[in-house]
Amino acid sequence: MGAPVAYSMPPPMMAAEPPEAASIKTLLHIARIIALIFGIIFILIGLATVAALALIGFGFLGFFGILWIIWAVIDFVIYVELKQIETMVNQHQYEAAKSKTLVWMILGFILGGIIIGILVLVAWLKFDPLITWQRNQMQGGAPPPGYAPAYAPAAPAPAPMPPPAAPPAAAPAGAPAAPFCAKCGKPTTYIPQYGRYYCYTDNLYV
């Protein structure tokens, strides 16, 4: 007899990702696009300013052209960093993503433009319920209200019913009652495979 076949266990139940995660990724994506647009605009303004001032002499006004270019570089850096934060959210690294978002939220307000700072601020505020949900999942706690599991647990299969016991062999329909043994006088037993009655006391067919 061969060894029993081992069956692998099914994967654990995964809870559905809270809506805050999708909202954070949307906000970060919009902020990235705005940062990229601002970066392109600022660098064009900066290069145009530097080129124009180069014809008449830089002087003090040349500082503004360089400043536009610096803002453009910062916006490009914000674009790259927000992309990395979005990747961290996809990988469920919510606490690390929140810490990194705080830094670029501040820089977004100061150097990247108020719109970028506001979008990143809203995303940063949405991390708290997301982190709480993740901790509940890791500790086996119940998820917050409104979060349903992605897969409903299957109902346990009912236990199989035992097969009904075979009824005792009966005499064929219409057969007369079991006769008594002529030798010992005890009732005989009908044997279906031979179609005759048998006395177990005397070991003979009647």
Side-chain angles (χ1 to χ4, degrees):
M1 183 175 182
V5 179
Y7 295 96
S8 60
M9 296 298 293
M13 304 300 296
M14 296 297 294
E17 189 178 57
E20 282 81 3
S23 180
I24 289 172
K25 289 185 283 188
T26 301
L27 291 167
L28 293 175
H29 187 73
I30 296 174
R32 284 175 49 220
I33 294 176
I34 295 176
L36 180 62
I37 294 174
F38 282 1
I40 294 174
I41 293 174
F42 290 167
I43 198 169
L44 291 177
I45 294 175
L47 293 176
T49 303
V50 171
L53 294 175
L55 299 176
I56 61 176
F58 278 96
F60 176 75
L61 294 177
F63 171 76
F64 291 100
I66 297 175
L67 187 61
W68 283 110
I69 295 176
I70 293 175
W71 282 342
V73 172
I74 292 173
D75 279 317
F76 290 141
V77 173
I78 291 175
Y79 172 84
V80 174
E81 293 297 328
L82 293 183
K83 175 63 176 177
Q84 294 180 0
I85 295 173
E86 190 174 342
T87 301
M88 295 169 70
V89 175
N90 288 327
Q91 296 174 350
H92 309 293
Q93 301 174 6
Y94 301 134
E95 296 192 44
K98 180 185 177 183
S99 300
K100 192 170 186 177
T101 302
L102 178 62
V103 176
W104 293 103
M105 175 191 69
I106 297 172
L107 292 177
F109 272 115
I110 299 174
L111 302 173
I114 297 177
I115 299 177
I116 297 174
I118 292 174
L119 290 173
V120 179
L121 171 62
V122 176
W124 181 78
L125 293 174
K126 287 181 176 290
F127 272 107
D128 288 333
L130 192 59
I131 293 172
T132 301
W133 171 84
Q134 187 181 49
R135 289 175 178 173
N136 287 335
Q137 291 294 315
M138 294 176 64
Q139 296 173 1
Y147 296 155
Y151 305 97
M161 297 296 293
F180 293 90
C181 178
K183 186 174 182 180
C184 65
K186 295 182 179 180
T188 56
T189 303
Y190 182 75
I191 308 300
Q193 65 186 83
Y194 297 110
R196 298 180 62 184
Y197 291 89
Y198 185 79
C199 177
Y200 286 95
T201 303
D202 298 315
N203 299 322
L204 56 85
Y205 287 95
V206 298

